[in-house]
Amino acid sequence: MVGIEQFTRSFLRAGASALLLAALSSCQTDDFKPNPGEGGASAAVTPANDTGLYNQTLGSGSVKVAYLGVRRADQPSRQADSEYRDGAALAVNTLGSDVVKLTMLETTEKPDAIEAAARTLARQQVSFIVTTARGAEFEAVQRGLGGLQVPMVAFQTNEAVLPENVYPFVSSPTDSLIESASFAMAEGATHAVILASSPAEKAQADRIASQIKAFGGKVEPIIELSGGTLPAKALNSWSKADMVVLMPGIKSPGDVLKKADAAKPPRPGRKIVASAVLTAQDLSEPKLTGSIVCRYDQNVQARIGSRYMASYGMPASAQAGYGFDAMAMAIGLAGRFREAAFTPEQLMSPNGFSGSLGVFRLEGDRKVRRNCDIFKVAKGSYVFFQKAPPTL
């Protein structure tokens, strides 16, 4: 099995028509390691006018795709958007400059400006859009497209409410807890209790609960903590659960577990499922030793780090990985199916795709699911335990 990069390069060779989309799935180890001496051309930003917005074209392929960036006022968002864009550009420069023609267009947050940018892309008749747009900005994008049905990938999580033809692409802490819970069940857990810190987090916990039930497990009513302590009625089910899922907003989870276990002894062999936001103090807490943590960001450097560093002079971030994977997916599909590449059937192939952040799949309810490496808490840190499985 090969990943997106190997699939794309193989397609460009004679006889590539024999390859199947299934070749995009599976292997997650060396798929994106650069070949010796290989380096992507730098995708320098070309200012379109005195505001410094970029307007650039990369590649010369027959399939027209686009990257629509929305410039934010706050620096963290602008930095993240820049890394998404650079990752996408790196994919074109190193994987598919003769497969796709990528228009990279940036606009301000004003609805009229977003609509005008989308109108430009509609005139170019692009087949696929990767974008940093969010929320009500999609209404402006749709107006600009003027009825042209263009599938989009947005750097939003599964929690975002998106229009019908827009797919989220960023994995959230909730997604990582779902994957960790799945791993805990593979280790024998069958009965979960989920601790949330607020009503908003409780709503996210509902999605985890539904997934655990879909996996065949049982879930107690979600517990919303009050002052870091379990309500008395919640302790009735404490000894039944052999899995405790800690939502990211739980503060001092070790203390929470100690208080609850003192009031009601835990079930022997209980699994703790946590997220990658634990503090140094949390990681050193004995109660959390052995906690299962899913991480998506562990292989970015091994897969695209050398080329990203050569092109942009900085380490590849998770945002760069997301940008690379979104565009690499587009290149792989375009190389195989040309203008028919971006139908729902192709985008939501059950085989999924293998990228710099692991194996991922766009699913029928317009969600993204991504495998991850499993770590366990030990000796004050996250310790690698098991590589992500090669398929979803």
Side-chain angles (χ1 to χ4, degrees), residues 346-380:
Q346 307 301 354
L347 287 167
M348 295 187 293
S349 166
N351 293 313
F353 306 89
S354 177
S356 66
L357 290 166
V359 173
F360 63 92
R361 180 174 63 222
L362 302 179
E363 300 189 329
D365 53 356
R366 287 185 300 106
K367 303 291 184 185
V368 62
R369 186 179 174 198
R370 187 174 277 105
N371 269 356
C372 51
D373 294 323
I374 295 297
F375 287 70
K376 290 197 174 183
V377 174
K379 300 179 180 179

Side-chain angles (χ1 to χ4, degrees), residues 66-70 105-108 110-126 129 131 133 137-148 150 152:
Y67 183 98
L68 177 59
V70 180
L105 189 61
E106 186 179 40
T107 180
T108 65
K110 297 178 181 179
D112 289 348
I114 295 172
E115 181 178 343
R119 193 177 302 119
T120 297
L121 299 179
R123 286 196 297 267
Q124 295 179 7
Q125 295 186 314
V126 299
I129 297 173
T131 183
E137 292 168 351
F138 285 108
E139 296 177 11
V141 173
Q142 299 289 6
R143 287 196 302 272
L145 292 176
L148 187 65
V150 183
M152 292 177 247

Side-chain angles (χ1 to χ4, degrees), residues 327-338:
M327 194 53 61
M329 178 185 71
I331 293 166
L333 289 172
R336 174 63 176 156
F337 301 103
R338 300 301 174 183

Side-chain angles (χ1 to χ4, degrees), residues 190-227:
T190 61
H191 193 147
V193 61
I194 304 175
L195 307 186
S197 65
S198 66
E201 200 168 60
K202 191 174 180 180
Q204 295 176 24
D206 283 332
R207 189 159 70 88
I208 299 173
S210 66
Q211 286 296 306
I212 292 174
K213 292 174 184 176
F215 296 151
K218 183 176 181 180
V219 185
E220 293 294 324
I222 294 166
I223 299 171
E224 184 181 339
L225 296 187
S226 175

